Amino acid sequence: MYTEMILDYYKFPRNFGTLEKADIKSRDTNPLCGDEIEFQINLDENKKVKEVKYSGKGCAISQAAASMLTELMQGKTVDELKKISKGDIYDLLGITLSPVRVKCALLGLKVMKIGVYTYLSEEIKLDEDEK
Amino acid sequence: MDVDAIREDFPILKKRVHGKKLVYLDNAATTQKPKQVIEAIKEFYSDYNANVQRGVYEISEKATELYEGGRESVAKFINATSSKEIIFVRNATEAINLVANAWAKKNIGKDDEIIISIMEHHSNFVPWQQLAIENNAKIKVVGVDPEGHFKFDEYESLLSDKTKLVAITHVSNVLGTITPVKEIVKKAHEKGAMTLVDGAQSVPHIPVDVQQIGCDFLAFSGHKMLAPTGIGILYGKKEILEKMDPFLKGGDMIKEVHLDSTRWNELPWKFEAGTPNIEGGITMKVAIDYLNRIGMPNIREHEKKLTKYALDAFANTKGIDVYGPRNVEEKGGVVSFNVQQIHPHDLASILDEEGIAIRSGHHCAQPLMENLGLVAASRASFYLYNKEEEIDILINSLKKARKVFRLE
Ligand SMILES: Cc1ncc(COP(=O)(O)O)c(C=O)c1O
């Protein structure tokens, strides 16, 4: 389960940090393990992701998944961000997860979506696993 | 104490997980059940299943007798003066909530104070916090020193005439710390305060005598001491229970019901509304008989030996932080730790692949974790069937986890 790639993203996280000013900002925790993740996103004039940073602390799975997600988000429109699915996250991680660990893997996705829906002033729509 | 013979009684210990022998080290969460308990449950449902306290026919009488036998056996186990002082509930949490609702709600008012410790499990924390909010009372929290000992002098300084209740855990489910409950109770009583001891982690592991401790209430769970889930115990002093109104109302807890009034039943049934967990009550006796046959002092010695072995092994392994007292005389069979640079959840997943069951997370004690500056920790906790070899397997797997994370 701890592949070279996951460990690499965990130890050398891409897009880790915060932005000076962000259009979209959201944060949440996983009550089970206390993991927390914050996303900050800046959009360009076409409502496409210009910059994205995540920060937080937690297990290798939640942190690596969030980091991989930031790369997938680059250049996407907010509508495209809404369409990123848990399947995309599993594909990025490339491993199968037990039900408990699924929550870790999807924490970043959940936080990102909360941010996007809130920015759009739309009702937050999450998959059962992302809640 | 013949641990190999004991292990023969626990069918689950023969199971394999991910192809590896199960190494069960999460006994503070719940314990495994011996075949004697499993058989007794089967026997109840196959041979004499009936409701208790009402049927005038043989199998109901038998069920009632054995259910009440469970109560007697609990009373003797903790040296209560009478089985009237033993109330069957679902678990320790419900026992504490019963006291909060049936006693504290009426007796703790504005500006009154409740003393707890920073080590409390959420079940001995949230009910008091919420009661304090509702009744405008205050919570005072006794801290721990860097090694996790209960700060007795701080406790003494918090006690005052405003103190109405002292609710303290006997053994911390995170640090393993054994608190000086007898002295705590004595000091509280000098101030006229009521005392509740959370015995969820003590009653299963060390000899507990309520008369010697002197506490007014003691709460614990059957599932942490070989019995099934869904049966817990509230011990309360008879004089106090008698003055309390019931918490839940309905059948079984009444003596007479008229259209406009009801007379409560006698103790302990006054507090047991509705059909209880009958097989749970019955098998409490089976579980206690099992523990008594091995002997509580022997179980305590065995756990001390395992804890010492584990503490030494952790100390000799690179990159591990251990929390709580180092002296096993002051500690139950619980060792919390972190492998540096590995999140407890990652560690638990790696250990799971080796067949090892340990707990990871905040252990339902978030105020304590915050106090220790931790988000999460791993915990190994022992019982009468654990062996030193299992600790060896744990340590080897910790080393393996460090390799997986490229730390060695
Ligand atoms: C110290 C302590 N108190 C209370 C409880 C709650 O027990 P239950 O969940 O059986 O109500 C636990 C369980 O982990 C515990 O360790």
Side-chain angles (χ1 to χ4, degrees), chain B residues 63-115:
Chain B
T64 306
E65 189 186 313
L66 290 178
Y67 178 71
E68 291 303 323
R71 197 191 307 277
E72 293 269 333
S73 153
V74 171
K76 281 208 194 83
F77 190 64
I78 59 169
N79 197 27
T81 51
S82 146
S83 61
K84 286 186 179 5
E85 300 184 311
I86 304 301
I87 297 162
F88 279 142
V89 291
R90 271 192 309 148
N91 47 38
T93 305
E94 187 175 308
I96 295 167
N97 275 276
L98 196 161
V99 177
N101 282 278
W103 180 82
K105 238 183 195 148
K106 278 199 179 158
N107 291 285
I108 296 180
K110 192 168 177 312
D111 296 332
D112 285 344
E113 295 177 358
I114 301 169
I115 297 181

Coordinates of all heavy atoms in Angstrom, one line a residue, chain B residues 63-115:
Chain B
A63 N -34.2 -18.1 33.7 CA -33.5 -16.9 33.1 C -33.4 -15.8 34.1 O -32.3 -15.2 34.3 CB -34.3 -16.4 31.9
T64 N -34.5 -15.6 34.9 CA -34.4 -14.6 36.0 C -33.4 -14.9 37.0 O -32.6 -14.0 37.4 CB -35.8 -14.4 36.7 OG1 -36.8 -14.2 35.6 CG2 -35.8 -13.3 37.6
E65 N -33.3 -16.2 37.4 CA -32.4 -16.6 38.4 C -30.9 -16.4 38.0 O -30.1 -15.8 38.7 CB -32.7 -18.1 38.7 CG -31.9 -18.6 39.9 CD -32.1 -20.1 40.0 OE1 -33.3 -20.5 39.9 OE2 -31.1 -20.8 40.2
L66 N -30.7 -16.7 36.7 CA -29.3 -16.6 36.3 C -28.9 -15.1 36.0 O -27.8 -14.7 36.2 CB -29.1 -17.5 35.0 CG -29.1 -19.0 35.3 CD1 -28.9 -19.8 34.0 CD2 -28.0 -19.3 36.3
Y67 N -29.9 -14.4 35.5 CA -29.7 -12.9 35.3 C -29.4 -12.3 36.7 O -28.4 -11.5 36.8 CB -30.9 -12.3 34.7 CG -30.9 -10.8 34.5 CD1 -30.0 -10.3 33.5 CD2 -31.6 -9.9 35.2 CE1 -30.0 -8.9 33.2 CE2 -31.6 -8.5 35.0 CZ -30.8 -8.0 34.0 OH -30.7 -6.7 33.8
E68 N -30.1 -12.6 37.7 CA -29.9 -12.0 39.0 C -28.6 -12.6 39.6 O -27.9 -12.0 40.4 CB -31.1 -12.2 39.9 CG -32.3 -11.4 39.6 CD -32.0 -9.9 39.5 OE1 -31.2 -9.4 40.4 OE2 -32.6 -9.2 38.6
G69 N -28.3 -13.8 39.2 CA -27.0 -14.4 39.6 C -25.8 -13.6 39.0 O -24.8 -13.5 39.7
G70 N -26.0 -13.1 37.8 CA -25.0 -12.3 37.2 C -24.7 -11.0 38.1 O -23.6 -10.6 38.4
R71 N -25.8 -10.5 38.6 CA -25.7 -9.3 39.4 C -25.0 -9.6 40.7 O -24.1 -8.8 41.1 CB -27.2 -8.8 39.7 CG -27.2 -7.4 40.2 CD -28.6 -7.0 40.7 NE -29.7 -7.2 39.8 CZ -30.1 -6.4 38.8 NH1 -29.4 -5.3 38.6 NH2 -31.1 -6.7 38.1
E72 N -25.4 -10.7 41.3 CA -24.7 -11.1 42.6 C -23.2 -11.2 42.4 O -22.4 -10.8 43.2 CB -25.2 -12.5 43.0 CG -26.7 -12.6 43.4 CD -26.8 -12.4 44.9 OE1 -25.9 -12.8 45.6 OE2 -27.9 -11.9 45.3
S73 N -22.9 -11.9 41.3 CA -21.5 -12.1 41.0 C -20.7 -10.8 40.8 O -19.6 -10.7 41.3 CB -21.5 -13.1 39.8 OG -20.3 -12.9 39.1
V74 N -21.3 -9.8 40.1 CA -20.7 -8.5 40.0 C -20.5 -7.9 41.3 O -19.4 -7.3 41.7 CB -21.5 -7.6 39.0 CG1 -21.0 -6.2 39.1 CG2 -21.6 -8.1 37.6
A75 N -21.6 -8.0 42.2 CA -21.5 -7.3 43.5 C -20.3 -7.9 44.3 O -19.5 -7.1 44.9 CB -22.8 -7.6 44.3
K76 N -20.1 -9.2 44.3 CA -19.0 -9.8 45.0 C -17.7 -9.4 44.4 O -16.7 -9.2 45.1 CB -19.1 -11.4 44.9 CG -20.2 -11.9 45.9 CD -19.8 -13.4 46.3 CE -20.9 -14.1 47.0 NZ -21.9 -14.6 46.0
F77 N -17.7 -9.4 43.1 CA -16.4 -9.1 42.4 C -15.8 -7.7 42.8 O -14.6 -7.6 42.9 CB -16.7 -9.1 40.9 CG -15.4 -9.1 40.0 CD1 -14.5 -10.1 40.1 CD2 -15.2 -8.1 39.1 CE1 -13.4 -10.1 39.3 CE2 -14.0 -8.0 38.3 CZ -13.1 -9.1 38.4
I78 N -16.7 -6.7 43.0 CA -16.2 -5.4 43.4 C -16.4 -5.1 44.9 O -16.3 -4.0 45.3 CB -16.8 -4.3 42.5 CG1 -18.3 -4.3 42.6 CG2 -16.3 -4.4 41.1 CD1 -18.9 -3.0 42.0
N79 N -16.8 -6.2 45.6 CA -17.1 -6.1 47.0 C -18.1 -5.0 47.4 O -18.0 -4.3 48.3 CB -15.8 -5.9 47.8 CG -16.0 -6.2 49.3 OD1 -16.8 -7.0 49.7 ND2 -15.2 -5.5 50.1
A80 N -19.2 -5.0 46.6 CA -20.4 -4.1 47.0 C -21.1 -4.8 48.2 O -20.9 -6.0 48.4 CB -21.4 -4.0 45.8
T81 N -21.8 -3.9 49.0 CA -22.4 -4.5 50.2 C -23.6 -5.3 49.9 O -24.0 -6.2 50.6 CB -22.8 -3.4 51.2 OG1 -23.5 -2.4 50.5 CG2 -21.6 -2.8 51.9
S82 N -24.2 -5.0 48.7 CA -25.4 -5.8 48.3 C -25.6 -5.7 46.8 O -25.1 -4.8 46.1 CB -26.6 -5.1 49.0 OG -27.8 -5.2 48.2
S83 N -26.3 -6.7 46.3 CA -26.5 -6.7 44.8 C -27.5 -5.6 44.4 O -27.6 -5.3 43.2 CB -26.9 -8.1 44.3 OG -28.1 -8.4 44.9
K84 N -28.2 -5.0 45.4 CA -29.1 -3.9 45.1 C -28.3 -2.7 44.6 O -28.8 -1.8 44.0 CB -29.8 -3.5 46.4 CG -30.9 -4.4 46.8 CD -31.6 -3.7 48.0 CE -32.8 -4.4 48.6 NZ -33.2 -5.7 48.2
E85 N -27.0 -2.7 44.8 CA -26.2 -1.6 44.4 C -25.6 -1.7 43.0 O -24.9 -0.9 42.5 CB -25.0 -1.5 45.4 CG -25.5 -1.2 46.8 CD -24.3 -1.0 47.8 OE1 -23.4 -1.8 47.8 OE2 -24.3 0.0 48.6
I86 N -26.0 -2.8 42.4 CA -25.5 -3.1 41.0 C -26.6 -2.9 40.0 O -27.6 -3.6 40.0 CB -25.0 -4.6 40.9 CG1 -23.9 -4.9 42.0 CG2 -24.5 -4.9 39.5 CD1 -22.7 -4.0 41.9
I87 N -26.4 -1.9 39.2 CA -27.4 -1.6 38.1 C -26.9 -2.0 36.8 O -25.8 -1.6 36.4 CB -27.8 -0.1 38.2 CG1 -28.5 0.2 39.5 CG2 -28.8 0.2 37.0 CD1 -28.5 1.6 39.9
F88 N -27.6 -2.8 36.1 CA -27.2 -3.2 34.7 C -27.6 -2.2 33.7 O -28.8 -1.7 33.7 CB -27.8 -4.6 34.3 CG -27.1 -5.8 34.9 CD1 -27.8 -6.9 35.3 CD2 -25.7 -5.8 35.0 CE1 -27.1 -8.0 35.9 CE2 -25.0 -6.9 35.5 CZ -25.7 -8.0 35.9
V89 N -26.6 -1.7 33.0 CA -26.9 -0.7 31.9 C -26.2 -1.3 30.6 O -25.8 -2.4 30.6 CB -26.3 0.7 32.3 CG1 -27.1 1.3 33.4 CG2 -24.8 0.6 32.7
R90 N -26.1 -0.5 29.6 CA -25.5 -0.9 28.4 C -23.9 -1.0 28.4 O -23.3 -1.8 27.9 CB -25.9 -0.1 27.2 CG -27.2 -0.5 26.5 CD -27.3 0.2 25.2 NE -27.2 1.7 25.4 CZ -26.7 2.5 24.5 NH1 -26.2 2.1 23.4 NH2 -26.6 3.8 24.8
N91 N -23.4 0.1 29.0 CA -21.9 0.2 29.1 C -21.5 1.3 30.1 O -22.4 1.9 30.7 CB -21.4 0.5 27.7 CG -22.2 1.6 27.0 OD1 -22.6 2.6 27.7 ND2 -22.4 1.5 25.7
A92 N -20.2 1.5 30.2 CA -19.7 2.5 31.2 C -20.3 3.9 30.8 O -20.7 4.7 31.7 CB -18.2 2.6 31.1
T93 N -20.4 4.2 29.5 CA -20.9 5.5 29.1 C -22.3 5.7 29.6 O -22.7 6.8 30.1 CB -20.9 5.5 27.6 OG1 -19.6 5.3 27.1 CG2 -21.3 6.9 27.1
E94 N -23.2 4.7 29.5 CA -24.5 4.8 29.9 C -24.6 4.9 31.5 O -25.4 5.7 32.0 CB -25.4 3.6 29.5 CG -26.9 3.8 29.8 CD -27.8 2.7 29.2 OE1 -27.7 2.4 28.0 OE2 -28.5 2.1 30.0
A95 N -23.7 4.2 32.1 CA -23.7 4.3 33.6 C -23.4 5.7 34.0 O -24.0 6.3 34.9 CB -22.6 3.4 34.2
I96 N -22.4 6.4 33.4 CA -22.1 7.8 33.7 C -23.2 8.7 33.4 O -23.6 9.6 34.2 CB -20.8 8.2 33.0 CG1 -19.6 7.3 33.6 CG2 -20.5 9.6 33.2 CD1 -18.3 7.3 32.8
N97 N -23.9 8.5 32.2 CA -25.0 9.3 31.9 C -26.2 9.1 32.8 O -26.9 10.1 33.0 CB -25.4 9.0 30.4 CG -24.6 9.7 29.4 OD1 -24.9 10.9 29.1 ND2 -23.6 9.1 28.9
L98 N -26.3 7.9 33.4 CA -27.4 7.7 34.3 C -27.2 8.6 35.5 O -28.1 9.3 36.0 CB -27.4 6.2 34.7 CG -28.7 5.7 35.5 CD1 -28.7 4.2 35.4 CD2 -28.8 6.1 36.9
V99 N -25.9 8.7 36.0 CA -25.6 9.5 37.2 C -25.8 11.0 36.8 O -26.4 11.8 37.6 CB -24.2 9.3 37.7 CG1 -23.9 10.2 38.9 CG2 -24.0 7.8 38.1
A100 N -25.4 11.4 35.6 CA -25.5 12.8 35.2 C -27.0 13.2 35.2 O -27.4 14.2 35.7 CB -24.9 13.0 33.8
N101 N -27.9 12.3 34.7 CA -29.3 12.6 34.5 C -30.1 12.4 35.8 O -30.9 13.2 36.1 CB -29.9 11.8 33.4 CG -29.5 12.3 32.0 OD1 -30.2 13.3 31.6 ND2 -28.5 11.8 31.4
A102 N -29.8 11.3 36.5 CA -30.7 11.0 37.6 C -30.2 11.6 38.9 O -31.0 11.8 39.8 CB -30.8 9.5 37.8
W103 N -28.9 11.9 39.0 CA -28.4 12.6 40.2 C -28.0 14.0 40.0 O -28.5 15.0 40.6 CB -27.3 11.8 40.9 CG -26.8 12.4 42.1 CD1 -27.4 12.3 43.4 CD2 -25.7 13.4 42.2 NE1 -26.8 13.2 44.2 CE2 -25.7 13.8 43.6 CE3 -24.8 13.9 41.4 CZ2 -24.8 14.7 44.1 CZ3 -23.9 14.8 41.8 CH2 -23.9 15.2 43.2
A104 N -27.0 14.2 39.1 CA -26.4 15.5 38.9 C -27.3 16.6 38.5 O -27.2 17.7 39.0 CB -25.2 15.4 38.0
K105 N -28.2 16.3 37.6 CA -29.1 17.3 37.1 C -29.8 18.1 38.2 O -30.0 19.3 38.1 CB -30.1 16.7 36.1 CG -30.1 17.3 34.7 CD -31.1 16.7 33.8 CE -30.7 17.1 32.4 NZ -31.0 16.2 31.4
K106 N -30.2 17.3 39.2 CA -31.0 17.9 40.3 C -30.1 18.5 41.4 O -30.5 19.4 42.1 CB -31.8 16.8 41.0 CG -33.1 16.5 40.2 CD -34.1 15.8 41.2 CE -35.3 15.6 40.4 NZ -36.1 14.5 41.0
N107 N -28.9 17.9 41.5 CA -28.1 18.3 42.7 C -26.9 19.2 42.4 O -26.2 19.6 43.3 CB -27.5 17.0 43.3 CG -28.7 16.2 44.0 OD1 -29.2 16.6 45.0 ND2 -29.1 15.2 43.3
I108 N -26.7 19.5 41.1 CA -25.6 20.4 40.8 C -26.2 21.7 40.1 O -26.9 21.6 39.1 CB -24.6 19.7 39.8 CG1 -23.9 18.6 40.6 CG2 -23.5 20.8 39.4 CD1 -22.9 17.8 39.8
G109 N -26.0 22.8 40.8 CA -26.7 24.0 40.3 C -25.7 25.1 39.9 O -24.5 24.8 39.7
K110 N -26.2 26.3 39.8 CA -25.4 27.5 39.4 C -24.2 27.6 40.3 O -24.3 27.6 41.5 CB -26.3 28.7 39.5 CG -25.8 29.9 38.8 CD -26.8 31.0 38.7 CE -26.3 32.3 38.1 NZ -25.1 32.8 38.6
D111 N -23.0 27.8 39.6 CA -21.7 28.1 40.2 C -21.2 26.9 41.1 O -20.1 27.0 41.7 CB -21.8 29.3 41.1 CG -22.0 30.6 40.3 OD1 -21.7 30.5 39.1 OD2 -22.6 31.5 40.8
D112 N -21.9 25.8 41.1 CA -21.3 24.6 41.7 C -20.2 24.1 40.8 O -20.2 24.4 39.6 CB -22.4 23.5 41.8 CG -23.4 23.8 43.0 OD1 -23.1 24.6 43.8 OD2 -24.5 23.1 43.0
E113 N -19.3 23.3 41.4 CA -18.2 22.8 40.6 C -18.1 21.3 40.5 O -18.4 20.6 41.4 CB -16.9 23.4 41.2 CG -16.9 24.9 41.0 CD -15.7 25.6 41.6 OE1 -14.8 24.9 42.2 OE2 -15.6 26.8 41.5
I114 N -17.6 20.8 39.3 CA -17.4 19.4 39.1 C -15.9 19.3 38.8 O -15.4 20.0 37.9 CB -18.2 18.9 37.9 CG1 -19.7 19.1 38.1 CG2 -17.8 17.5 37.6 CD1 -20.5 18.9 36.9
I115 N -15.2 18.4 39.5 CA -13.8 18.2 39.2 C -13.6 16.9 38.4 O -14.1 15.9 38.8 CB -13.0 18.2 40.5 CG1 -13.1 19.5 41.3 CG2 -11.5 17.8 40.2 CD1 -12.3 19.6 42.5

